[in-house]
Amino acid sequence: MNMFKKILVAYDGSDHAARALDIGIDLAKRYEAKLDIVEVVDTAALLGMGVAPIPGEVIQQVYNKAKSDIDNAKAKAQNQGIKDVEGVVLEGDPATAILEYAGKNGVDLIVTGSRGLSTFKRIILGSVSTKLVQEAKIPVLVVK
């Protein structure tokens, strides 16, 4: 029985995300699952940085970094034998965009890195992994 047919790795190029990707690749191999690697460009966070309006080239640089992250992660998965892998750059609130993508695309498992935020920061900001765990209708694996 294949428990997971479609695995989503929430990716942003960080060390935590790299560990999440390694585990996502391992699980995709074990379950012969499709692997979706998703990075979300949080335009609201960009706008909230107090620089208004944000020059188009700055936004383009953020998208280019996300696309590069995804291309590198996808290549890593393919080099490790994952045949069915897709890389996607989304826009919006990271947790919301990931949950919407997972719902629309029949994802069975979300793998994400933890940020290790302090309790105070988590109360103020709410981390992506915390929101995913609280709101997802499917299993979420948080990698430290």
Side-chain angles (χ1 to χ4, degrees):
M1 177 182 116
N2 244 0
M3 188 176 290
F4 303 118
K5 293 181 182 72
K6 195 163 194 181
I7 298 170
L8 181 154
V9 174
Y11 194 74
D12 64 6
S14 69
D15 290 344
H16 289 287
R19 286 195 288 280
L21 177 63
D22 290 340
I23 289 174
I25 290 169
D26 184 60
L27 290 169
K29 278 196 256 187
R30 289 174 194 257
Y31 290 101
E32 298 175 359
K34 180 176 193 295
L35 186 64
D36 286 6
I37 304 166
V38 176
E39 181 158 349
V40 183
V41 174
D42 188 350
T43 47
L46 282 174
L47 297 172
M49 287 173 17
V51 187
I54 296 173
E57 57 269 17
V58 172
I59 292 174
Q60 193 56 51
Q61 285 173 351
V62 173
Y63 275 97
N64 290 346
K65 179 205 174 287
K67 177 91 176 78
S68 173
D69 288 346
I70 290 296
D71 289 345
N72 292 336
K74 188 175 169 184
K76 181 175 184 175
Q78 289 168 329
N79 290 339
Q80 293 189 33
I82 306 297
K83 291 172 186 59
D84 197 359
V85 60
E86 188 170 344
V88 183
V89 176
L90 302 173
E91 183 178 315
D93 169 68
T96 302
I98 290 164
L99 291 168
E100 286 175 1
Y101 181 93
K104 288 179 188 164
N105 291 281
V107 169
D108 303 305
L109 173 68
I110 297 171
V111 182
T112 184
S114 75
R115 282 284 191 290
L117 290 177
S118 69
T119 305
F120 178 72
K121 283 185 183 169
R122 194 175 295 120
I123 290 167
I124 302 298
L125 299 173
S127 75
V128 173
S129 57
T130 300
K131 188 170 178 183
L132 290 174
V133 168
Q134 290 172 342
E135 297 184 17
K137 308 271 188 282
I138 58 173
V140 178
L141 175 59
V142 180
V143 179
K144 292 190 174 219

